[in-house]
Amino acid sequence: MDTFVIEGGRRLSGTLAVNGSKNAALPLMAAALLTRERLVLRGVPLLADIRNMQKLLQVLGCRAERDGDGDLAMQSADGASVYAPYDIVRTMRAGICVLGPLLARFGEARVSMPGGCAIGDRPVDLHLRGLAALGADVSLEGGDILVRAPRTRGVHRLRGARVFLGGPMGSTVLGTANVMSAAALARGETLIECAACEPEIVDLANLLNAMGARVTGAGSPRVLIEGVSELAGATHRVIPDRIEAGTLAAAAAITGGDLVLENCPLDALMAFTDRLHAMGVRVTTLEGADPMRATARFTAGGALRPIEVTTQPHPGFPTDLQAQLMALLTLADGNSVITEKIFPERFLHVAELSRMGAHLFRVGPTVIVSGVRRLVGAPVMASDLRASAGLVLAGLAAEGTTTVNRVYHIDRGYEALEDRLGSLGASIRRVDDRVEEAALLPVVVAAGRAVA
Ligand code: EPU
């Protein structure tokens, strides 16, 4: 297992281009199952979750390979498997994205029910409720979700309907993706009420429309889909990753740095830049003809001001940047309040940040962050993807050495994070624990003999 070794205290500066979005790419990849024609995605990041989704598509009879230019080319054969087994879905919850597309194209699907994960229970009841509203028969067997479209005149096909996707925490991003994709091939019109408004949903709607679907209203809570009988292939560029952009901007801010981000989806980051601004970080647009692919500069320096923040569905502050913001606020000049409204248990970073000298007090879904003058390096444990990113940020600012274990969590969502931060002046290197342990072993043994 790999570990990051970080020597903190270096100011980051320089220019980076934001990579394609993981959370946009995953449902876009699943949309390849909606057609027998070739779908090409540009700008898909090189990440563990993406490789897992490629594997899942291959199990489902869909070719999914990088071509010579690094684009991801996919083609789904007719009559292939409709079974997404536990082995793969358990490695990546986004495997649930194949449910809607498989059901819509093949009339049935069997997808292993994703379990909970480090950030909470993660139910899928809204996905199932949405597909049931389109006429699907939904059941559970041996831990698998079974769905079957209604049969009329010998054909299994979903039928359009009004679908309400609101749950106790608001809407659902992947649930909206599933229902939208399924409705694209349904008979008649579907209206999704309380749809997720995240930019990743807009990207999926744009891809579906490029494939011949008729989707309007994506990005608002009310999405209308007029079903068509077939979808075609397309070539599509994935939107830049707002969470990677926010994480890199926070890395610059926590080190008092100066970062220029190209291909930066500023339009999707307004709640985040608003909070950065309130903390005293300057955000300037250098080039913004396309606000989803702007060039923006993040300049910090001087004391960070404390703030209040509540995570919310888009366009509110994203839960996927909560841990990174908390790392930043540990060094603010006063008390901040963070409330997590999407995943109320998403606080695995709290105990680890405390090991580095942060003053954090959690009451239910709220954490009071009392800013300290300095963090001190320590060995810390990565737990989930974004919590781990928060620990890396804290390590960049801490005095001394921080080791972040279990870097595979970070590799799920950040492409070559150590190289990218290194190019900005950070001292961060990846070591293979087993190699390090093997190297240390003779020393330990020798020391043992000497003592004996
Ligand atoms: N929810 C339900 N029922 C459902 C689905 C969701 O009650 O059927 C609840 C969840 O428990 C949660 C809230 O609704 O409280 C929102 O969950 P959502 O379904 O929107 O999450 P998701 O679609 O499974 C995506 C991202 C997450 C991101 C969330 C929220 C992907 C692959 N994942 O998950 O990203 O945190 O939306 O924005 O797109 C990450 O990248 O680190 C990550 C976890």
Side-chain angles (χ1 to χ4, degrees), residues 83-86 89-90 93 96 99 110-116 122-125 128 139-146:
Y83 179 34
Y86 182 61
V89 176
R90 79 185 163 83
R93 296 193 80 271
I96 191 73
L99 186 65
R110 180 177 189 129
V111 176
S112 177
M113 175 88 123
R122 319 268 323 253
V124 291
D125 56 307
L128 304 186
S139 58
L140 201 63
E141 199 180 292
D144 295 336
I145 301 162
L146 267 66

Side-chain angles (χ1 to χ4, degrees), residues 22-24 26-27 93-94 119 121-128 167-175 198 200 242-243 319-320 341-344 346 384-386 412:
K22 162 181 89 82
N23 287 350
L26 292 166
R93 296 193 80 271
I119 65 177
D121 296 343
R122 319 268 323 253
V124 291
D125 56 307
L126 297 171
H127 301 231
L128 304 186
M169 302 296 180
S171 192
T172 158
V173 180
L174 293 182
E198 270 64 7
E200 294 76 20
R242 61 194 168 108
I243 307 303
T319 172
D320 291 343
K341 284 261 182 87
I342 308 293
F343 296 113
R346 193 175 201 176
D384 84 88
L385 167 57
R386 309 302 173 187
R412 285 188 41 221

Side-chain angles (χ1 to χ4, degrees), residues 283-348:
V283 183
T284 20
T285 310
L286 302 181
E287 208 274 298
D290 177 355
M292 275 300 280
R293 297 184 184 275
T295 301
R297 182 171 184 176
F298 300 84
T299 318
L304 292 169
R305 290 192 287 272
I307 55 162
E308 289 85 47
V309 69
T310 300
T311 64
Q312 286 170 333
H314 191 76
F317 191 93
T319 172
D320 291 343
L321 283 171
Q322 179 256 108
Q324 299 89 318
L325 188 81
M326 188 181 296
L328 202 49
L329 291 175
T330 61
L331 291 169
D333 190 14
N335 294 336
S336 300
V337 183
I338 298 183
T339 302
E340 174 56 69
K341 284 261 182 87
I342 308 293
F343 296 113
E345 298 301 321
R346 193 175 201 176
F347 285 124
L348 287 162

